[in-house]
Amino acid sequence: MALQSERHGEDTQAPVLTAKNVVRRFGGVAAVNDVSFDVRRGEILGLIGPNGAGKTTMFDLLAGSVPPTSGEILLNGTVVSGEPAHRRIGRGLGRTFQIPRPFPNLTLIENVMLAAQGQAGERLFANFLMPWRVAAEEKTFEQKAMDLLDLVSLTRLAHEPARVLSGGQRKLLELARVMMADPAIILLDEPAAGVNATLLEVIIDRIRDINARGITFLLIEHNIDMVTRLCHRVLVMASGELLCEGTADEVARDPRVIEAYLGGAA
């Protein structure tokens, strides 16, 4: 009998996220062309490729920001190809962005609390009919948000406005915000971009810590050192297609990958 995930009650051997023959066309151009892969539960999977390879479009398709022209996307075995991004968040898929955009005038803890799912206070009548429940829930979310800020080493700034953060600290805040929604998988879009070496080490450590909690990661990244240190497997895209997959060392030696980068695939 397959082991069952305590959190989701799913087959732990089944992929958490699957792309099946996914195509996305913009006019006559196939930005993603017949791409298929699985993201295995509990792994850190890297997605690399030269500029214009289709990586960001692939992320948009997985997250629900754009629909596929054809093919299927499955989240925990359920076809979600036609679902919008907010429905996929509710199903356990979180996403960060290359350029984080927190609410600058809200404090860090307020930014994190906003990401909580299913808040009673969001329903108008709950504030009038069950104010005690709303207050108790808010206190629970506040403690959870503080715990997550501690996880990403931002506790001392919890009550500061987000506008004071550096680029690297904003990446850490975004990790905490995503975690607030209790994701099964997180799509990370270039977590190393614009981050100094010291904060990059913190981000790498935090990704490892979160992964150790059973959270799966798929990340786009140009920093090959980070990919080599973090990723269990690596996928390589070029010209909208999946070129190869393997360990970081295996794909680095693949002649097709060398040609894609040196040849400047569009």
Side-chain angles (χ1 to χ4, degrees):
M1 181 181 294
L3 294 175
Q4 297 296 308
S5 163
E6 290 182 6
R7 181 179 176 277
H8 294 284
E10 297 136 356
D11 181 352
T12 57
Q13 303 307 309
V16 64
L17 185 64
T18 297
K20 278 188 178 180
N21 307 112
V22 173
V23 175
R24 174 63 196 194
R25 295 185 179 277
F26 295 97
V29 178
V32 172
N33 188 23
D34 196 28
V35 172
S36 298
F37 61 86
D38 290 330
V39 185
R40 300 166 188 163
R41 197 173 306 280
E43 76 173 333
I44 303 176
L45 177 64
L47 178 59
I48 68 171
N51 290 333
K55 304 182 300 295
T56 298
T57 301
M58 190 72 239
F59 255 37
D60 288 341
L61 291 162
L62 295 172
S65 302
V66 296
T69 303
S70 62
E72 288 185 336
I73 295 163
L74 293 86
L75 183 58
N76 292 317
T78 299
V79 177
V80 296
S81 310
E83 290 189 354
H86 71 272
R87 289 288 301 277
R88 299 188 200 188
I89 292 170
R91 290 185 183 274
L93 186 147
R95 180 187 181 174
T96 68
F97 292 86
Q98 181 180 350
I99 302 174
R101 292 183 176 86
F103 294 98
N105 295 323
L106 297 183
T107 65
L108 272 61
I109 195 166
E110 288 169 340
N111 267 279
V112 176
M113 288 175 67
L114 282 174
Q117 299 293 295
Q119 300 184 53
E122 294 176 347
R123 298 187 291 275
L124 178 62
F125 290 109
N127 289 281
F128 295 101
L129 300 177
M130 297 180 293
W132 62 89
R133 177 182 168 188
V134 173
E137 186 181 74
E138 185 168 344
K139 196 167 188 64
T140 299
F141 286 144
E142 183 177 6
Q143 183 58 55
K144 180 179 178 181
M146 189 60 93
D147 290 343
L148 290 171
L149 287 172
D150 183 55
L151 174 65
V152 298
S153 306
L154 290 175
T155 309
R156 66 183 180 83
L157 298 171
H159 299 289
E160 295 294 324
R163 64 175 179 269
V164 307
L165 299 181
S166 68
Q169 288 171 327
R170 290 184 179 211
K171 297 282 179 89
L172 290 166
L173 175 61
E174 192 157 70
L175 262 181
R177 291 175 68 185
V178 168
M179 286 292 290
M180 192 71 183
D182 294 322
I185 179 170
I186 299 174
L187 309 183
L188 286 178
D189 193 349
E190 297 199 34
V195 177
N196 67 47
T198 301
L199 270 177
L200 181 57
E201 290 301 314
V202 177
I203 290 171
I204 289 172
D205 286 343
R206 296 299 83 78
I207 292 170
R208 285 177 174 149
D209 291 343
I210 294 168
N211 180 244
R213 297 182 174 200
I215 309 299
T216 304
F217 283 93
L218 171 60
L219 70 142
I220 293 174
E221 188 48 68
H222 286 288
N223 186 318
I224 300 303
D225 177 63
M226 182 180 190
V227 170
T228 301
R229 291 169 62 187
L230 275 177
C231 296
H232 306 132
R233 286 190 302 140
V234 179
L235 306 174
V236 184
M237 287 186 69
S239 300
E241 298 183 351
L242 188 60
L243 196 62
C244 66
E245 68 174 273
T247 66
D249 288 340
E250 287 169 347
V251 301
R253 293 193 301 267
D254 193 304
R256 294 169 296 174
V257 176
I258 296 168
E259 172 62 24
Y261 275 93
L262 296 182

